[in-house]
Amino acid sequence: MIQINRTNNGLIDQTKELSFTFNGELLKGYEGDTLSSALLANNKRLVGRSFKYHRPRGIFTAGSEEPNAIMEIGLGAYQDPNTRATVTKLYDGLVANSQNHRGPLWFDFMAITDMLSPLLGAGFYYKTFMWPKAFWEKIYEPAIRNSAGLGKLSKQEDPDTYDKGFRHCDILIIGAGASGLSAALVAGSSGAEVILADEDFLMGGRLNSETDEIDGIAGHEWAKNSVEKLKSMGNVRLMPNTTVFGAYDHGIYGAIEERSHESRANKEKPRQVNWRIYTKRTILCTGATERAIAFGNNDRPGIMLAGAVRTYLNRYAVRTGENISIYTNNDDGWRTARDLNDRGVNVVAIIDSRKTEPVINIEGVRVIINADVVNTKGRRALSSIKLSNGATIKTDTLAVSGGWNPNLHLTCHHRGVPRYSDDICSFVPGESVPDGMSVAGSANGTMVLSKAIEEGHNEGTEAARGLGYRVDYTEYAVTPQVEYNISAHWSVESGSNRAWVDLQNDVTAKDIKLANQEGFKSVEHVKRYTTLGMATDQGKTANVLAIGVMSENLGRTIEDTGTTIFRPPYSPVAIGAFAGRRRAKEFYPTRYSPSHKWADEKNAVFVEVGMWYRAQWFPEPGETFWRDSVDREVKQTRSSVGVCDVTTLGKIDIKGSDVSEFLNLIYANAFAKVPIGKTRYGLMLREDGMVMDDGTTARLSENHFVMTTTTANAVNVYRHMQFCHQCLWPDLDVHMISVTEQYAQYAVAGPNSRRLLQKIVDHEFDISNEAFPFMGASEITVCGGTPARLFRISFSGELAYEIAVQTRYGDSLMRAIMEAGNEFDVVAYGTEALGVMRIEKGHAAGPELNGQTSAYDLGMGGMISGKKDFIGYTLGLREDLQRDDRMQMVGFKPVNEQDLIQAGSHLVNLENEPTTENDQGWISSCIYSPILEHYIGLGFIKSGQNRKGDIVRAVNLLKGSDVKVEIVSPHFVDPEGERLRV
Amino acid sequence: MTRKALEHSLTCINFDMIINHPLLGPRDSEEFVYLGSADLINRPNWESETAIEDFHEYQYIRENVAGDNVELWYHEQGDQSWLVVTRSTLTHEIKSVELASDYAKNNGRSR
């Protein structure tokens, strides 16, 4: 396999051959190539089809601005669409495929759309597919989606890994070209912590593409030496392959480090690293991007930017054609002719649109001054061009230069607006750039190399000095001064031939003209109407050209036409890079209770509750259906004793001399006088009077309280309490800390719970009913001296306790309880049985505390203390919250006891149809009660508390159920609470 | 995915701000939870004759400030202090940071 376009030298290693495939064809390239340089070396000129018209397209640029050469890289799940070949470092085994064509690339069946182009101009969606309306979803949209578009997703989970990283520095220099290196050398010499980031794998920027001499040596040599020098400085960190994609607040920058070439060889390695860089100063040295000129059929393979032709020649040792012509409106285009000529590549003609003297004299090259290219020919690649003077020139490559646009994107990320400069016929950074940022070199519009180096040096000096570093290094590199002259020239009258402005989104000068004629005068509107600059390249080669074309159409100056600004990211960033390692199981932390291992040994089925894993039920051998286990757990608990891990409840330790007063302010019920050794149920409201959470708080000693919250609200309640203390009552002597993870806690419930615990609790502690009555709280020891806390509280409605030990004893305690409980046939129960028992008992929980229910709605209005200020008191008094016809919580049971009630059912009166207008309420929680042997539910219904005995319909249209239910008290089991007190 | 987990993941996508904590120095705003206007510190008197109206204002009415906004941030992934941060909503410039408890005391809150 011969790389027929490869020449000698270049900044690649021609001794290291790499193999890759393009559309299945095995090709060779060299270490140091990009995919695009290797494709060109192999004379692959046609590399893709365009977005809308399926026009043949070739490589257009040599950098991150590439609109055409975007490909699917990789196989299977690794396939990554829309990858720019120009920034894809070649590696051995790389698999690339062109996108958006049906049939082979050279004969795309969809190319017929190009003939339909008169129908497909700006706004064609809006105009063409309006009628009939119903056709849009079923016919038009699928057809359009099928024909237009870019690469395809693998539709498999992304198998790559991504990392996130954080770096800090004094000075961040973005771009390692001439000015960036110059800035880094001086900033580094001052001792400041410097990060130098560049999107390319080879630092040096345009110096690697050009033949300039700096300090008497080749520019790329100088760049290499400078990089070596910077590497030897301990205070400078080089980040090649790293695109700084966004400027955020307070000196935070986002950067993506590309490591695909590495991760393909070793799948353990991250494909990309998303860096967050914290810096005090930033020097933007991002260089400039060349733009084209809009002329007829300017999109054929073989037509490329003049600077890119030099890059392929000088850096990659690739000639982009055999007979090359240049079309330019500025001096820079001439350098392409000179470099090609020096390397023995045939230059056919230089066409300069200006009335100018030849910028460089090159022998044997036809020079055509004051002329334009008006049309081109060649089906799958360029074969000839037609000039405004009527001449036709046979040529296989046309190198176009319409001037250079500063890469000022990051200066706009805080809404800075660029300013138009007549000197370079492009936009330069405006007055307002992000705090701490300065701009140097061609990014700042300084197109002359010698000045760019000086500017980089000066900005580097100033940044270091501004941070208090001493700068002694005053010499900067010298290079011959080469002028850069340009005349604005945007588009060429091309008759009926289309002149492309945005190659990736297939937007032509005609589309812009049409938009302007239809009344779209603002750049922002034209952009959205034509989709200009909205493709994955974000119009890097198109935007400024389009503004030029617009200003010509509207007869306005560029200043008056204005410009769009930019927001992050500078170039596409994979979503995976934002997720980093936070995927699947690692999306958020997993919290296990201390006795998780025990539960696992008992074959517990776990359920995720927030971040916690909780045992849902414990299947025994022979139990095939979850309810077999749950019914057994409930029955055994209610008949003897059961144990449930309640570690996940929020636990807050509160100390201080004013805790009573504080609790009285944050709980709706009275809390001023909780005796030592007692627990009290507490109802917490939001300031708007709605129920926020409930739990218990025990007073262990004069100034020491322990609170529990629900599992779900643990974080919010603690945050709320800190707010109440620090912001509302800062002088109260209250100190609190969350101890959720410091204590393991178990509910021991059932008529035998005391007898079981008496075997665990050390004998000096009397826990008889007399000594330790309902709602008692005490610090005790268990199992021979292990400190513990015991609370006589019950969620199940049975005689019950909760016992807490320090986390490290949790597993042992669980095992000890289960062993001690053997003689009582103790059962471990999970969250399902817990839920069954709380519904049987009529306790409100998450489904009832939905943020829309007041204490009155829950039947707890009587608890509200009327004699004190507390959070939620005043707004809770609002008339509307106390109306009798609000949705009030009650119990429900089926009239026919065989019927199943579905949670989520809506309630309507018997005579009514189930419609929104007739809605009376809903069932919020529903279970099968193994004690009552039928379904029961909790729910809300209008005026519920006065409707006991009424029969209504519970309708669930989603599940197709419609049953008659009776409104009953929510307390199904032991309504008088006798079991709690025995 | 729970709502909280989603919120958390979204805050982690954000490139945040730096809040200069009066006790702990500069911290990434990712460590904080945002609440809203520091007006929430001025909780009305429950015994006032206009208590319902006052609390209604307090609970529901907010200035939508274009410029310096005095607001509450909670250092949840840190020392759990509430901070009063003066931040420009136009530029995100943070002009001052103080402990909410100090701010509250200076504004007459006590016990």
Side-chain angles (χ1 to χ4, degrees), chain A residues 118-155:
Chain A
L119 297 175
L120 302 179
F124 80 99
Y125 287 154
Y126 315 126
K127 296 168 187 163
T128 315
F129 300 106
M130 288 187 48
W131 175 94
K133 200 176 165 198
F135 274 32
W136 174 254
E137 213 171 292
K138 293 214 165 63
I139 296 170
Y140 296 146
E141 193 188 351
I144 292 166
R145 286 202 186 282
N146 207 8
S147 95
L150 302 170
K152 290 197 172 54
L153 292 167
S154 70
K155 299 196 176 169

Side-chain angles (χ1 to χ4, degrees), chain A residues 674-826:
Chain A
V674 180
I676 293 168
K678 280 289 180 192
T679 307
R680 187 164 290 179
Y681 174 80
L683 184 67
M684 208 177 275
L685 305 186
R686 301 189 312 217
E687 193 68 273
D688 65 1
M690 298 300 172
V691 175
M692 175 181 182
D693 198 55
D694 67 347
T696 60
T697 296
R699 186 172 204 171
L700 297 176
S701 66
E702 177 66 25
N703 293 335
H704 187 193
F705 293 71
V706 187
M707 176 186 283
T708 63
T709 74
T710 61
T711 300
N713 285 329
V715 171
N716 290 340
V717 167
Y718 180 62
R719 185 189 299 161
H720 169 71
M721 286 168 65
Q722 291 287 5
F723 169 81
C724 291
H725 177 229
Q726 295 176 39
C727 298
L728 301 182
W729 299 290
D731 284 331
L732 287 179
D733 180 31
V734 174
H735 306 268
M736 56 196 136
I737 189 147
S738 164
V739 291
T740 304
E741 296 198 333
Q742 277 65 36
Y743 283 88
Q745 194 153 317
Y746 301 93
V748 182
N752 282 323
S753 56
R754 183 185 299 120
R755 290 174 64 199
L756 189 160
L757 281 175
Q758 276 166 339
K759 294 176 70 182
I760 295 285
V761 174
D762 290 340
H763 291 300
E764 55 266 44
F765 300 99
D766 182 358
I767 59 168
S768 66
N769 195 33
E770 297 69 37
F772 195 69
F774 182 53
M775 298 310 273
S778 182
E779 288 182 291
I780 54 163
T781 61
V782 296
C783 303
T786 303
R789 290 167 179 171
L790 188 66
F791 312 96
R792 190 170 159 189
I793 51 179
S794 176
F795 197 45
S796 57
E798 299 297 326
L799 166 67
Y801 299 82
E802 288 186 15
I803 182 166
V805 290
Q806 287 172 35
T807 297
R808 65 175 179 274
Y809 301 121
D811 183 72
S812 307
L813 179 65
M814 187 65 183
R815 290 172 200 272
I817 291 172
M818 292 308 285
E819 203 184 313
N822 248 338
E823 61 176 291
F824 309 109
D825 200 16
V826 65

Side-chain angles (χ1 to χ4, degrees), chain B residues 8-61:
Chain B
H8 189 65
S9 87
L10 290 178
T11 50
C12 292
I13 286 178
N14 269 337
F15 282 80
D16 291 280
M17 298 184 281
I18 295 173
I19 294 175
N20 200 3
H21 191 299
L23 304 177
L24 301 173
R27 317 293 308 182
D28 195 295
S29 63
E30 194 179 271
E31 297 173 4
F32 292 81
V33 172
Y34 177 76
L35 181 63
S37 167
D39 286 346
L40 284 168
I41 287 173
N42 304 317
R43 189 170 180 270
N45 177 2
W46 70 297
E47 291 173 309
S48 158
E49 275 185 19
T50 56
I52 289 231
E53 291 75 21
D54 297 346
F55 268 91
H56 180 270
E57 285 271 314
Y58 169 77
Q59 176 72 12
Y60 297 111
I61 309 299

Side-chain angles (χ1 to χ4, degrees), chain A residues 248-250 252 276 278 582 587-588 658 661 687 712 718-719 723 726 728-731 869-870, chain B residues 4-5 8-9 14-16 18 28 30 43 59-60 74 76 80-82 92 101 105 109-111:
Chain A
Y248 299 88
D249 290 311
H250 306 159
I252 304 176
R276 191 181 296 194
Y278 298 78
R582 301 168 121 272
F587 182 66
Y588 51 70
D658 295 325
E661 197 179 334
E687 193 68 273
Y718 180 62
R719 185 189 299 161
F723 169 81
Q726 295 176 39
L728 301 182
W729 299 290
D731 284 331
D869 184 18
F870 60 88
Chain B
K4 237 177 274 173
H8 189 65
S9 87
N14 269 337
F15 282 80
D16 291 280
I18 295 173
D28 195 295
E30 194 179 271
R43 189 170 180 270
Q59 176 72 12
Y60 297 111
Y74 176 55
E76 185 148 270
Q80 278 121 51
S81 55
W82 280 92
H92 289 185
S101 54
K105 286 177 198 174
R109 305 279 334 169
S110 175
R111 44 188 303 144

Side-chain angles (χ1 to χ4, degrees), chain A residues 334 337-338 341-342 350 357-365 367:
Chain A
W334 292 76
R338 179 198 63 197
N341 193 61
D342 288 352
I350 302 174
E357 289 301 305
V359 177
I360 306 171
N361 286 311
I362 307 166
E363 221 162 294
V365 175
V367 173

